[in-house]
Amino acid sequence: MEQKITLDTLSAYAKRRGFIFQSSEIYGGFAAVYDYGHYGALLRENIKNSWIKSMLSHDEIKYLDSGIFTHPKVWKASGHVDSFVEPEIDCRTCKNRMKADQLLEPFGIMEADRLPIDEVNEHVAKLREEGKLKCSKCGGTDLTDAKKFDLLVKSNLGSPTSELTEENVVYLRGETCQGIYLNYKNYLQTMRVKLPFGIAQVGKAFRNEVVARQYIFRTREFQQAEMQLFLHPSLMNEKYEYWKEARMRWWIEELGIEKESLRFKDHEKLAHYASAAVDIEYNFRTLGAFAEVEGIHQRGDWDLSRHQEFSGENLEYFDQERNEKYIPHIMETSGGLNRMVLAVLDQGYTEETLEDGSTRLVMKIKPSLAPVKVAIFPLVKDVKLIEIAQKIKSSLQNLFVVEYDETGSIGKRYRRQDEIGTPMCITIDFDSLEDDSVTIRDRDTLEQQRVKVGSIMEQIEQRLGNS
């Protein structure tokens, strides 16, 4: 039977076990911004490194870390200044703010955030007249027309005044891919690449969300993992299909997400520059529905064409093999690390009843992603046992994240490591003084195996390699 788990349950667990905290909590919290604690930060870094490794396993993919701030014209060229908005509807009764697309979706009006604001309001007026449109909070029907809500976060970087004007405004990047486009020509000139080639990047982006709920699923500050593949348009369909399968395979094989919990969903309405777009969706137990965790998009040549137009820089590519000059088309993969973390925690959270009738909470994270790989325990606080345990810890901690714990009963120490997802626990007991062996306990099976101290490394590498 599938276990049910709520978002509140998961968020309470993540706080209690040091994964994720509400930002500025001592001041009452700051909406839709979260701090990653020790275990959460390690988990996110492991996911990030897995993503980077998977990208760089392709010879044609290079890596980048671009700046959060860019020239303001970048966001004019990208269309964000004029069109990076969402339609917002307010309730006059309780002052609740709502996203128009979420209000209209139950009535068959899909992806309203992609529609012109006048078209959105035509739907709003009709439904309001019929008495069908109601506030999601109080149920009232006194709702405003939809209005544009600007999603770009503004700043006054380098300005002597805090007042924002058209002359001094800069933007925190709303997506990481623009930095990739800006460096496309640099990579052609410095990395000895030719088309098709891609640039991958993981970095922070910022969005002034209308309504940012659902824990870390939708936040105002987040990390994106994006790859932009520059290519000849004739290769687009081939590469699109390849990367669809490659990204789905990564979710299954590298993140350990069950295949049955993932699906592709084609976009019903495309952005004006796109010729095809599909989302990878995960069936979140905590959200009670499938939701987007990554997108694969055919973006065409719109991005580089716009930057060529606004910058005056020639971004055409001369293809010697084709004897042709053209602006490359772009195929994109884009996912958010917060959602990757949430999916891993959502699937991993497991409450078990053991054979003896006791229960345990265990976070069944893929061992290679686990924040802590090995926990080391002396059975009791005995000087000789502690000495052996400390030597084992010293031999491992330069290679893996390990934890040492000598406090409390062995059962409680096991339970704590189960909850943070540690795949292996090593216990040193009094027999270890005689046979130079230790007990390795498996997180998922609870099986305990006696191994020689000299073979501990081999056992760890084998278990992590098979994960």
Side-chain angles (χ1 to χ4, degrees), residues 87 100-102 104-105 108-116 120 265-271 279:
D101 60 332
Q102 294 177 345
L104 298 178
E105 189 172 296
I109 304 159
M110 311 304 293
E111 298 184 335
D113 55 331
R114 299 177 183 271
L115 300 176
V120 172
K265 184 180 180 182
D266 290 314
H267 284 206
E268 296 183 14
K269 188 175 180 65
L270 296 173
D279 291 334

Side-chain angles (χ1 to χ4, degrees), residues 2-11 214-217 282-289 342-343 345-347 349:
E2 183 181 352
Q3 295 180 347
K4 292 184 178 180
I5 173 178
T6 68
L7 212 51
D8 287 342
T9 301
L10 188 64
S11 62
Q214 297 179 305
Y215 193 36
I216 61 170
F217 183 82
Y282 167 71
N283 190 13
F284 285 93
R285 292 186 295 161
T286 48
L287 301 180
L342 185 59
L345 293 178
D346 180 282
Q347 177 178 274
Y349 186 98

